[in-house]
Each structure stands twice: as structure tokens, then as C-alpha cells.
Amino acid sequence: MGAERYRPPLFSVAPMMEWTDKHYRTVARIISKHAWLYTEMLAAETIVYQQGNLDRFLAFPSEQHPIVLQIGGNNLDNIAKATQLANAYGFDEINLNCGCPSAKVAGHGCFGARLMLDPKFVGEAMSVIAANTDVPVSVKCRIGVDDHDSYNELCDFIYKVSSLSPTKHFIIHSRKALLNGISPADNRRIPPLKYEYYYALLRDFPDLRFTINGGIDCVDEVNAALREGAHGVMVGRAAYNNLWNTLAHVDSAVYGEPSSGLTRRQVLEQYQVYGDAVLGTYGNNRPNMRELIRPLSGFFYSEPGNSLWKRKADAAFLNKNITTVKSFFEETLVVIPDAVLDSPVAELPSGRKDLFANVRGLLPPPYETRTEEVVAYAQS
């Protein structure tokens, strides 16, 4: 498809394992037409070894553009094959995961955040991806790993990868990764945010594009980052846990489009058509009702009836008479007030005013290339 067909990725939803699946992306796209969406991370090996079942992993409705495929892996042959197989599905960009600290990922050989310790391999992997696709490529990484967390070490990684490959876009999670066995949740909480590293990268690598990620919880904070000069902002759990109040503001507040006036009821009516069309189509009762409703867990966040709706939903999952998404909604939405279902999104919630306070005064000294000589990528 090509990224140039769409509005720039000022706002994107982070790839999140078991969260940003096809069903979540469907409801997200109903709400926002311009947000960039990412797949869950898919291991290159999964793509290669599931060639007979690729639609389940890679197919998506055309309405989900712009969409980025995130892959993970540490085997160049499998990364190349996975890229080739993914081409037929028309993703708008392919991203390599160099930031996931999960033991399931980072602990599996050299995978996820551990790849930051081997920028030469990452450069080779990005060259392999680029050689096997016609769409842009990007890297998602942390600002460091364990004790390798200085600004110069981050710059060495960026410099090597961008010199050894055609990678021009980096998504920077502004925390380092701790690979000592703590949970992914703690890796999003314990390492401090260092937004100054991100903004220093803008200064020191003016020919590259950087998206900021980590700790940004609402659209007001997205706009604060953009006003400070960020090229783009990636939001993770807030776009899932507070789905409506986050995504319903993106097109108007970030992209300057007129408000659509969309209501929650209208979103659910469109999603119901999708849900009933795909229910059970993978075989073995997949996707099932629970999988289709899961992306809506944050749809009524902080609204009257939210807790009761979740209890009704849990009971409905066990009700054998509820066999369609339509009947599920008929059974459960009675507890949500009409005023919640039929009102357009409320005013833009205020974010933290000090999130980027004095970030320019905290910038580390400019990067001076101290890495060994690298051979620059020659684009044919």
C-alpha cells in the first residue's frame, strides 16, 4: 500500500501481545480513521512455520490501513522468509521488535530487547527486511538494556543500525529494559522515564525520524509531546484500557479533522456486524465470543454501569443461548445508560502539565561518534 497514502504517524497504538489483535484493531479503526495501528508482535518462525494458516495471523480488513506488522526474531533466514510471506498482505510498514523485555521474548536466545546489545545484527536484519519488501522499515527499541544505558550507547545503536541499513524510523520507548527476570509490568514501571534521551536524538540525528513511547496516557499529553517537537507519539495501554476516551479524540485533536460525532452505540453497531461475520470462522470455535468482546473491556472506562456491564458480560459468556455478538449486546448493554451510549465523546481530558517540563534543560551532551567504523548502507 505504501505509507505515503496516509496521514503521518503523529499518533500510533503500540504493538501489545494478546491485545492489539485483529479484533481490537477493528474497533480501534471504527473510532479513529487516522491512528496508525500495529499488529501484535509475530515471531518470524511463527510466520514461516504457519504457511498453511497465514490468514489467521496476517490477514486483516482493508479498513485497518494504515497498519504496521511487527516481527521478532534472531534468525536472518527466517526473518527474510517471514517478510516475503507477509508481503502478500499489504502492510504499510514492517517493524522489528528490539524492545520487548518479556522473558518469553528477551530470554529466548537473542530476541526482543536483547537485540540492542548487538546493533550489527540489527542492521543486518533490517537490511534483510528491506531487501524483501517494498514498504518502509522501522525499529522499536528501548533507551538501553541493564547497565548499557548511557545516552552514548543508545546513540551508538541508532548510528550503527541506520548506517548499516535503510532504517530511517525508530520508535523509542523512553525507559531502559531490565533483563534480570522482572515482569514486563515492572519493566514499564521501575526503570525511570528519560524523555530527554528521546529529544536529544532529534537534535543529534536530524536525518532520522523518531516516535516517542512510554508513559504517555492521553491525547492531551500526546499533543504536549508533539508541541515539544516529537515527530510522532505511540500510546500503549491507555489506548486499550481507556479505548473510547483516548481514540475518539485522535482524529480531531491530533489530526485537526472535524469531530465525527460518533457515539459508542454507533461503534458497537458497526463492530457487531464485524463480530458476527467472523465468529467461529477459524474453526474450533475460534474466534469465540470472549475473544471478540475482550477489546471492549475499556470501552466504558469510568462510566456509570461499567462494573455491572463487565459482570453481565462474564455471565453472558457462559450462557449457551447467546450465540451471536448481537444477542450478547442485547443481553448486556441494558445496564449502560442511554446517555453513555448515545453521547459523542466528551471534551478532551487534561493531561499532566509537567510531563515534559524542562526536558530541553535536561538534554545530555551532543553525541560524538565513538563507535568503531561502520560501512554505510548503500541503497541500490
Side-chain angles (χ1 to χ4, degrees):
M1 287 289 179
E4 68 278 357
R5 292 187 50 185
Y6 307 104
R7 302 289 293 275
L10 300 177
F11 182 100
S12 54
V13 177
M16 293 177 281
M17 296 289 288
E18 299 182 354
W19 283 21
T20 53
D21 58 15
K22 186 186 310 182
H23 317 311
Y24 169 81
R25 298 194 309 266
T26 295
V27 71
R29 181 58 74 222
I30 293 170
I31 300 171
S32 170
K33 303 305 180 188
H34 297 304
W36 281 63
L37 305 178
Y38 279 63
T39 67
E40 304 171 87
M41 188 203 73
L42 281 172
E45 285 72 18
T46 298
I47 298 173
V48 171
Y49 299 144
Q50 292 283 343
Q51 291 189 43
N53 195 26
L54 281 181
D55 281 1
R56 177 177 173 184
F57 296 94
L58 295 176
F60 59 90
S62 61
E63 293 81 9
Q64 287 187 14
H65 290 290
I67 180 172
V68 180
L69 169 66
Q70 187 184 69
I71 62 175
N74 60 3
N75 180 290
L76 293 178
D77 287 340
N78 283 336
I79 289 172
K81 292 173 185 174
T83 303
Q84 292 166 3
L85 291 167
N87 281 334
Y89 292 87
F91 290 96
D92 299 298
E93 184 171 305
I94 298 180
N95 175 269
L96 181 67
N97 182 331
C98 296
C100 183
S102 168
K104 295 179 181 178
V105 176
H108 185 68
C110 186
F111 201 161
R114 285 191 189 276
L115 290 178
M116 289 195 71
L117 302 176
D118 192 355
K120 181 175 182 293
F121 172 83
V122 175
E124 292 173 349
M126 296 309 297
S127 292
V128 163
I129 294 171
N132 286 281
T133 186
D134 293 327
V135 301
V137 298
S138 60
V139 167
K140 187 174 190 294
C141 64
R142 292 280 183 133
I143 60 170
V145 176
D146 292 333
D147 294 331
H148 300 276
D149 60 356
S150 70
Y151 178 67
N152 267 350
E153 286 172 297
L154 171 61
C155 289
D156 281 346
F157 175 81
I158 300 294
Y159 174 73
K160 285 185 179 181
V161 173
S162 61
S163 297
L164 293 169
S165 75
T167 309
K168 299 299 180 186
H169 181 201
F170 292 82
I171 298 97
I172 307 294
H173 186 134
S174 301
R175 290 183 174 93
K176 72 175 180 178
L178 297 173
L179 304 182
N180 58 1
I182 69 171
S183 70
D186 283 342
N187 253 300
R188 295 189 299 271
R189 180 180 59 84
I190 294 175
L193 288 159
K194 293 190 175 183
Y195 293 132
E196 62 270 25
Y197 279 22
Y198 170 82
Y199 283 101
L201 291 174
L202 305 187
R203 174 197 66 196
D204 292 336
F205 295 91
D207 295 333
L208 301 179
R209 185 160 55 91
F210 296 97
T211 293
I212 190 171
N213 173 228
I216 298 171
D217 293 335
C218 66
V219 169
D220 191 44
E221 293 173 1
V222 168
N223 283 335
L226 293 171
R227 286 194 299 271
E228 195 62 44
H231 298 155
V233 182
M234 176 176 279
V235 174
R237 276 149 181 79
Y240 194 98
N241 293 330
N242 195 1
L243 172 64
W244 174 252
N245 287 319
T246 301
L247 293 187
H249 288 290
V250 168
D251 292 356
S252 57
V254 177
Y255 287 96
E257 296 286 336
S259 177
S260 67
L262 195 68
T263 67
R264 283 184 173 99
R265 192 188 301 275
Q266 291 169 332
V267 171
L268 294 176
E269 287 171 350
Q270 293 182 52
Y271 187 66
Q272 176 233 303
V273 173
Y274 163 81
D276 281 332
V278 301
L279 187 64
T281 55
Y282 301 163
N284 295 321
N285 193 33
R286 305 288 300 276
N288 57 41
M289 189 72 71
R290 191 179 295 272
E291 290 167 331
L292 287 166
I293 300 303
R294 184 172 55 196
L296 300 174
S297 61
F299 195 55
F300 299 112
Y301 178 83
S302 78
E303 295 288 359
N306 179 46
S307 297
L308 183 54
W309 179 76
K310 289 183 176 181
R311 292 197 294 273
K312 291 277 285 185
D314 286 338
F317 292 139
L318 303 176
N319 187 336
K320 294 182 179 180
N321 294 320
I322 296 176
T323 58
T324 64
V325 176
K326 181 179 181 180
S327 60
F328 179 92
F329 286 158
E330 290 172 346
E331 173 70 17
T332 62
L333 291 178
V334 293
V335 301
I336 301 295
D338 287 344
V340 173
L341 288 168
D342 295 321
S343 299
V345 67
E347 291 185 3
L348 184 69
S350 295
R352 291 160 289 174
K353 302 303 182 186
D354 61 346
L355 198 58
F356 303 103
N358 196 34
V359 70
R360 297 291 178 178
L362 298 173
L363 298 186
Y367 174 58
E368 296 181 6
T369 306
R370 61 182 181 84
T371 186
E372 64 270 19
E373 191 72 23
V374 298
V375 178
Y377 175 83
Q379 197 160 15
S380 58

